[in-house]
């Protein structure tokens, strides 16, 4: 069994798009970047894109990918990415784009749409040819499912008889197009409408502005997130389980989450009912209720700088309900 190919590494650093200076939601649109981050850096995010024809469904979601503030900040601090204000970048980029550049981009999209339509038509034509070839040979799914010994005993049907049988089937459907007609019309296919996921091109690649502030995070939760991420855990938002992070030992496509993580300050008092409820909830869904925070020797209780918290050691504790 061959291992899947490694996703290609993007050009580093890559842009993370913040909707605007007033709306701190961080998005990724490039599928190559998203795949590489998941495989290499255990960054999951949440897909939030819906189908244009069915915008109200929330089952089959796609691009863009929304990052948690902790994920966006971690990537920026590591130098893998930089923050770009999407609204400002689009407004400035559209002013610098000429009419000829826009027309060239539209022609490229039309060319890609024609190629995509032709590729789909070729695939459909090949499938039709395979079905017609099986019909000529008189094969059926039931006969193909029999053992090899039975297949060896079968005799090949007479070509003239098979051809006449096939011709009879075709004659019953005079309105259906032939293979030759499909091959002739493949060059006259109507182009598909291509919707690019990124805006560059036609806009220039967004530049890194050192003055752009890093994503705002809660110091205690960011310290816990960074600590768990350093130990190769995958994390996703834990709202549906009443926690801050769902913690996975590996990719969520292969593993269930093991912990419900909640961050706390070192001297913060924990309500006994919250502890019992968290332990029972975690045990009920076959997970551990994990609490963690920065050790007492560093005071981050009232600071707004996450770096002061993340440089200090973090302690974690797991609570399970014994059922006594």
């Amino acid at each position: 069994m061959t291992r899947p190919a490694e996703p290609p590494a993007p050009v580093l650093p890559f842009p993370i798009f913040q909707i605007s200076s007033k709306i701190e939601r961080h998005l990724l649109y490039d599928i190559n970047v998203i795949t590489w981050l998941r495989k290499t850096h255990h960054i999951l995010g949440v897909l939030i894109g819906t189908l244009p024809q069915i915008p109200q469904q929330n089952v089959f979601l796609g691009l863009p990918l929304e990052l948690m503030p902790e994920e966006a900040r971690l990537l920026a601090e590591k130098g893998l990415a930089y923050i770009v204000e999407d609204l400002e970048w689009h407004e400035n980029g559209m002013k610098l784009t000429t009419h000829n550049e826009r027309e060239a981009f539209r022609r490229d999209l039309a060319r890609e749409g024609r190629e995509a339509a032709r590729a789909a038509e070729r695939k459909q034509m090949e499938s039709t040819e395979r079905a017609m070839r099986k019909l000529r040979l008189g094969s059926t799914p039931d006969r193909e499912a029999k053992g090899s010994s039975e297949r060896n005993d079968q005799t090949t049907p007479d070509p003239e008889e098979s051809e006449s049988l096939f011709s009879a089937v075709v004659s019953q459907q005079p309105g259906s197009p032939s293979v030759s007609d499909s091959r002739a019309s493949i060059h006259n296919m109507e182009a598909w409408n291509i919707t690019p996921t990124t805006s560059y091109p036609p806009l220039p690649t967004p530049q890194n502005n050192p003055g752009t502030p890093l994503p705002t995070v809660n110091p205690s939760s960011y310290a816990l997130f960074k600590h768990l991420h350093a130990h190769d855990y995958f994390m996703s938002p834990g709202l549906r389980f009443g926690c801050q992070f769902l913690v996975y030992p590996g990719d969520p496509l292969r593993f269930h989450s093991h912990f419900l993580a909640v961050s706390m300050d070192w001297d913060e008092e924990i309500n006994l009912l919250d502890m019992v409820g968290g332990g029972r909830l975690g045990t009920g869904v076959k997970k551990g209720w994990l609490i963690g925070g920065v050790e007492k020797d560093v005071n981050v209780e009232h600071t707004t700088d996450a770096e002061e918290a993340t440089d200090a050691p973090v302690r974690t504790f797991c609570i399970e309900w014994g059922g006594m």
Side-chain angles (χ1 to χ4, degrees):
M1 181 177 180
T2 59
R3 297 182 59 184
E6 293 289 335
V11 179
L12 300 178
F14 55 84
I16 295 177
F17 293 94
Q18 180 176 305
I19 295 180
S20 69
S21 58
K22 297 181 179 179
I23 304 177
E24 287 199 28
R25 298 181 64 182
H26 303 88
L27 307 176
L28 290 175
Y29 297 89
D30 193 333
I31 185 61
N32 295 325
V33 173
I34 294 172
T35 305
W36 181 77
L37 285 178
R38 187 184 187 105
K39 176 70 174 180
T40 310
H41 293 280
H42 304 175
I43 297 296
L44 299 177
V46 179
L47 292 170
I48 62 173
T50 59
L51 300 175
Q53 293 83 359
I54 319 175
Q56 294 182 345
Q57 66 86 28
N58 60 355
V59 178
F60 303 103
L61 300 180
L63 299 177
L65 181 88
E66 182 173 1
L67 298 174
M68 294 187 294
E70 293 81 4
E71 293 174 323
R73 179 155 188 144
L74 181 66
L75 294 174
E77 286 185 355
K78 286 188 172 183
L80 299 174
Y82 55 93
I83 307 300
V84 175
E85 291 187 8
D86 202 355
L87 178 60
E88 179 182 358
W89 172 67
H90 266 91
E91 291 179 347
N92 296 335
M94 293 303 295
K95 294 177 182 178
L96 299 176
T97 305
T98 64
H99 176 74
N100 293 334
E101 291 175 341
R102 297 178 188 176
E103 290 299 323
F105 182 66
R106 292 192 183 98
R107 289 194 296 270
D108 290 341
L109 289 182
R111 176 181 53 79
E112 293 180 7
R114 288 192 296 270
E115 293 177 355
R118 291 171 182 172
E121 182 65 18
R122 291 191 194 96
K123 185 176 181 180
Q124 179 64 29
M125 187 176 61
E126 292 173 358
S127 177
T128 302
E129 288 179 345
R130 286 194 297 268
M132 296 172 70
R133 192 178 303 113
K134 289 181 179 179
L135 186 60
R136 290 192 187 98
L137 298 176
S139 62
T140 62
D142 293 336
R143 290 180 181 177
E144 293 177 359
K146 293 182 179 180
S148 58
S149 59
E150 295 182 3
R151 287 200 300 268
N152 295 332
D153 296 338
Q154 293 178 354
T155 58
T156 305
D158 184 34
E160 296 182 358
E161 181 181 356
S162 300
E163 186 64 29
S164 63
L165 177 62
F166 175 73
S167 301
V169 174
V170 175
S171 62
Q172 295 176 4
Q173 300 177 352
S176 59
S178 63
V179 176
S180 59
D181 295 337
S182 300
R183 287 175 175 173
S185 63
I186 195 171
H187 298 286
N188 300 323
M189 292 293 301
E190 182 179 355
W192 287 7
N193 294 323
I194 301 297
T195 303
T197 59
T198 60
S199 298
Y200 49 98
L203 302 184
T205 303
Q207 300 300 317
N208 184 7
N209 182 8
T212 304
L214 295 175
T216 303
V217 295
N218 181 281
S220 60
S221 63
Y222 181 59
L224 178 60
F225 175 87
K226 194 171 183 179
H227 171 77
L228 294 174
H229 184 270
H231 287 76
D232 294 332
Y233 284 103
F234 288 73
M235 279 166 286
S236 66
L239 179 62
R240 60 178 176 173
F241 286 102
C243 60
Q244 289 177 317
F245 308 113
L246 284 176
V247 185
Y248 300 83
D251 194 299
L253 295 176
R254 299 178 58 196
F255 297 91
H256 290 289
S257 58
H258 282 194
F259 304 106
L260 310 176
V262 178
S263 67
M264 294 184 177
D265 293 328
W266 189 261
D267 293 330
E268 181 179 354
E269 294 185 1
I270 304 176
N271 189 296
L272 184 58
L273 292 179
D274 293 338
M275 182 179 296
V276 174
R280 294 186 64 180
L281 172 63
T283 304
V285 294
K286 298 181 180 179
K287 310 178 194 306
W289 192 58
L290 184 146
I291 58 176
V294 180
E295 289 193 24
K296 187 176 180 180
D297 55 349
V298 176
N299 182 17
V300 295
E301 184 175 358
H302 302 291
T303 184
T304 58
D305 189 359
E307 294 183 0
E308 296 183 15
T310 57
D311 293 337
V314 175
R315 294 284 301 277
T316 57
F317 304 89
C318 185
I319 300 174
E320 296 184 5
W321 181 252
M324 294 182 292

